[in-house]
């Protein structure tokens, strides 16, 4: 799809830093398209082999495109990011990179898989498409592309690595942020300074080996400044079920170097959302989280921080104007 505003592949950076000049400035409510390389910054290609991993320059990994200055955004506001379209390339890669991943100590040797990504024809019933993990063994992966990195610049000065996630977003690696999802980010600097990258064609919750199906991508989002969601202190989002069911969820997240504290924060933020948007008491909200909320490990490998989410089905609100 076309967009008035665009950010090129060359307009990228390798740190979250509020001193980086914006690539473009846009009014609130604008759609912006981004042409993004894969997370390796094109160090891995469709013809790469396992030996290519030995020459990876780690300082060049996880670049993001931007930043985009959104007019009217100020500290304390919320940036609404509507994911309008995500288009993956026709290839991708998954790797075991020594030192990365949940079981890095058990898998010390490098490994690389190059995928062929098969797009669905218009109107097909298999969603976006699929990729064969092993055709002879009949293992096929449904594709659901999304950007692993979406965030705004932190208020704290200096350069902050793009590898971990933060309260302001970043490498959240949350597979539910695909087309038609909406992400909410807390703004800490004027203009928000939004950036995006790290294309994934498919990923499980947690991304346990440290890589998904990494792929170049073209993604279009709409960026809108909101003044009425002060409870958004970490990434929140709305999304549909990844399994094709017609169910929509509101999700809050906790981001912390302690996985239990990240989990506690995800629940705490959902309580704040329910109090603000559905007029519940804190006691009522806490009980509703226990009865209807699902906790998910969204990202568990990009140290030092974990991302834990609490997902609440919006269908439980049968007689109200659903917020989010």
């Amino acid at each position: 799809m076309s967009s008035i505003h665009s950010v090129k592949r060359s307009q990228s950076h390798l740190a979250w830093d509020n001193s980086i000049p914006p690539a473009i400035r846009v009014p609130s409510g604008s759609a912006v398209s981004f042409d993004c390389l894969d997370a390796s910054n094109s160090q891995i290609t469709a013809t790469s082999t396992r030996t290519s991993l030995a020459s990876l320059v780690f300082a060049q990994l996880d670049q993001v495109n931007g930043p985009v200055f959104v007019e009217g955004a100020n500290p304390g506001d919320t940036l609404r990011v509507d994911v309008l379209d995500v288009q993956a390339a026709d290839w991708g890669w998954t790797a075991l990179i020594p030192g990365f991943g949940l079981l890095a100590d058990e898998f010390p040797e490098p490994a690389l898989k190059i995928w062929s990504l098969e797009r669905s024809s218009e109107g097909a019933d298999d969603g976006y498409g699929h990729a064969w993990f092993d055709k002879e063994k009949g293992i096929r992966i449904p594709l659901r592309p999304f950007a692993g990195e979406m965030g705004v610049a932190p208020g704290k000065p200096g350069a902050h690595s793009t590898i971990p996630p933060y309260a302001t977003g970043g490498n959240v690696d949350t597979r539910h942020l695909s087309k038609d999802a909406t992400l909410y980010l807390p703004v800490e600097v004027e203009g928000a300074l939004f950036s995006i990258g790290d294309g994934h064609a498919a990923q499980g919750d947690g991304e346990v080996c440290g890589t998904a199906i990494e792929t170049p991508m073209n993604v279009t989002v709409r960026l809108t400044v909101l003044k009425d969601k002060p409870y958004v202190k970490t990434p929140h989002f709305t999304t549909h079920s990844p399994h094709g069911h017609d169910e929509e969820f509101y999700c809050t997240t906790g981001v912390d170097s302690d996985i239990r504290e990240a989990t506690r924060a995800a629940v705490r933020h959902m309580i704040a959302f329910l109090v603000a948007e559905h007029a519940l008491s804190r006691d009522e909200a806490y009980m509703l989280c226990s009865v209807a909320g699902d906790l998910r490990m969204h990202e568990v490998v990009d140290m030092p921080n974990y991302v834990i989410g609490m997902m609440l089905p919006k269908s439980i609100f049968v007689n109200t104007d659903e917020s989010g």
Side-chain angles (χ1 to χ4, degrees):
M1 70 186 291
S2 61
S3 177
I4 297 174
H5 306 281
S6 63
V7 176
K8 302 174 183 177
R9 284 190 175 187
S10 59
Q11 295 173 304
S12 64
H13 52 100
L14 286 157
W16 298 102
D17 187 336
N18 61 36
S19 69
I20 296 174
I24 59 172
R25 301 171 68 101
V26 302
S28 175
S30 295
V32 185
S33 65
F34 299 79
D35 183 13
C36 304
L37 290 172
D38 68 292
S40 78
N41 215 343
S42 206
Q43 295 182 82
I44 296 175
T45 70
T47 60
S48 293
T49 65
R50 183 182 67 172
T51 58
S52 304
L53 298 175
S55 60
L56 273 181
V57 179
F58 288 89
Q60 296 297 312
L61 299 181
D62 277 347
Q63 78 294 340
V64 288
N65 289 68
V68 176
F69 185 104
V70 184
E71 295 171 359
N74 290 294
D77 294 340
T78 300
L79 185 67
R80 173 174 171 151
V81 183
D82 294 300
V83 183
L84 303 180
D85 193 44
V86 187
Q87 299 291 333
D90 60 1
W91 71 279
W93 61 271
T94 302
L96 303 183
I97 300 174
F100 281 80
L102 195 63
L103 302 179
D105 57 326
E106 299 179 25
F107 292 85
E109 297 300 319
L112 177 67
K113 179 176 179 59
I114 301 296
W115 302 76
S116 176
L117 309 182
E118 301 180 22
R119 292 288 305 276
S120 293
S121 57
E122 191 71 27
D125 61 1
D126 64 343
Y128 180 91
H130 65 269
W132 286 102
F133 181 79
D134 190 315
K135 201 165 189 176
E136 290 186 1
K137 295 178 181 178
I139 304 174
R140 191 174 72 173
I141 307 301
L143 303 181
R144 196 184 190 210
F146 69 97
E149 294 256 12
M150 285 197 277
V152 294
K156 185 177 179 181
H160 306 274
S161 171
T162 55
I163 298 297
Y166 303 96
T168 49
N171 200 18
V172 292
D173 281 339
T174 298
R175 70 184 181 118
H176 307 283
L177 295 175
S178 54
K179 182 179 177 181
D180 297 328
T182 297
L183 174 67
Y184 300 91
L185 296 169
V187 176
E188 294 189 356
V189 298
E190 184 183 5
L193 299 178
F194 174 83
S195 298
I196 191 170
D198 188 22
H200 293 171
Q203 181 202 294
D205 274 325
E207 195 189 30
V208 294
C209 85
T211 57
I213 301 182
E214 310 289 337
T215 183
M217 68 175 185
N218 287 280
V219 57
T220 302
V221 300
R222 179 180 294 114
L223 303 175
T224 306
V225 179
L226 303 178
K227 305 287 187 180
D228 60 347
K229 295 187 182 293
Y231 55 82
V232 175
K233 305 297 185 184
T234 59
H236 290 203
F237 61 89
T238 61
T239 188
H240 289 269
S241 169
H243 305 299
H245 307 302
D246 188 21
E247 179 69 276
E248 190 174 6
F249 296 86
Y250 190 89
C251 181
T252 57
T253 66
V255 183
D256 200 280
S257 59
D258 183 303
I259 197 167
R260 184 170 186 271
E261 288 307 310
T263 305
R264 283 161 53 88
V267 177
R268 193 178 297 119
H269 294 317
M270 182 61 79
I271 290 171
F273 163 76
L274 291 169
V275 169
E277 298 288 357
H278 292 281
L280 299 183
S281 69
R282 280 180 53 80
D283 288 352
E284 290 172 329
Y286 188 25
M287 287 190 285
L288 185 59
C289 288
S290 190
V291 171
D294 292 325
L295 284 167
R296 299 285 183 91
M297 289 184 173
H298 292 318
E299 184 282 305
V300 299
V301 294
D302 295 319
M303 296 297 97
N305 293 332
Y306 300 88
V307 180
I308 304 297
M310 167 154 275
M311 302 184 73
L312 196 69
K314 297 179 81 173
S315 59
I316 66 174
F317 302 106
V318 294
N319 293 319
T320 60
D321 178 20
E322 298 174 3
S323 295

